[in-house]
Amino acid sequence: MEFRIGQGYDVHALAEGLPMWLGGVQIPSQTGFVAHSDGDVAIHALCDALLGALALGDIGHLFPDTDDRWKGVDSKKLLAAVLDLPALRGWTVVNADITIALQAPKLAPHIDSMRGTLAAVMGISPARVSVKATTTERLGFVGRREGCEVWAIVLIERK
Ligand code: MG
């Protein structure tokens, strides 16, 4: 049995009046993420973790923000496209663990929805997908509500 582990990290800036997509679900919020895609920073970190597990580069390389095909794209489609890469088709996700640092709004009511949504895209049980949220106690750019940062770790297993 062969296993690989990968980690991913992403940051997006917040701005007034944009939709907030996080972990594949829309979060009611006065602010949303500035991005070429829908700005789902959690999915972007997860994609980079999957790519990192097999040393396949990063999503900025796969889906360049200069390419209009990815303008406003639902990041769930990016995650599905990563999992459908020839190099990843022979692998299955054992588990994923995602940590979101965001000052506001509170994400607790949306955690289970994110877990279920991400698990469905990855074709695994929500029990294998952890989503955790934290504030940064008002410190740094996250604490000043200027942005959001996300760390993701995945373990994959060759089918
Ligand atoms: Mg991103």
Side-chain angles (χ1 to χ4, degrees):
M1 210 172 282
E2 189 181 359
F3 293 96
R4 293 290 193 92
I5 191 167
Q7 69 97 28
Y9 170 75
D10 197 21
V11 170
H12 277 273
L14 284 162
E16 294 281 339
L18 294 174
M20 178 179 284
W21 284 94
L22 204 48
V25 305
Q26 189 167 9
I27 311 290
S29 173
Q30 303 293 329
T31 57
F33 300 120
V34 179
H36 185 68
S37 66
D38 66 4
D40 192 325
V41 57
I43 289 186
H44 298 174
L46 180 57
C47 287
D48 269 359
L50 287 162
L51 293 169
L54 292 178
L56 297 173
D58 58 65
I59 56 165
H61 176 77
L62 272 178
F63 310 112
D65 61 11
T66 49
D67 188 335
D68 272 354
R69 271 183 303 167
W70 313 120
K71 198 168 192 302
V73 71
D74 179 345
S75 290
K76 292 188 283 297
K77 289 184 183 160
L78 302 184
L79 177 58
V82 165
L83 290 164
D84 198 40
L85 288 172
L88 265 160
R89 273 184 214 151
W91 295 77
T92 185
V93 176
V94 177
N95 73 302
D97 187 14
I98 297 166
T99 302
I100 302 169
L102 183 70
Q103 192 62 42
K106 291 281 180 220
L107 296 177
H110 309 289
I111 295 290
D112 285 343
S113 175
M114 290 190 233
R115 293 176 62 209
T117 300
L118 296 174
V121 177
M122 292 189 282
I124 60 175
S125 161
R128 293 173 178 267
V129 181
S130 162
V131 176
K132 311 189 299 296
T134 184
T135 70
T136 59
E137 301 290 342
R138 299 193 185 87
L139 296 170
F141 72 86
V142 170
R144 292 189 300 270
R145 303 184 180 199
E146 293 168 4
C148 175
E149 66 188 328
V150 179
W151 298 261
I153 293 179
V154 294
L155 184 69
I156 60 174
E157 177 186 7
R158 204 188 276 277
K159 284 177 199 167

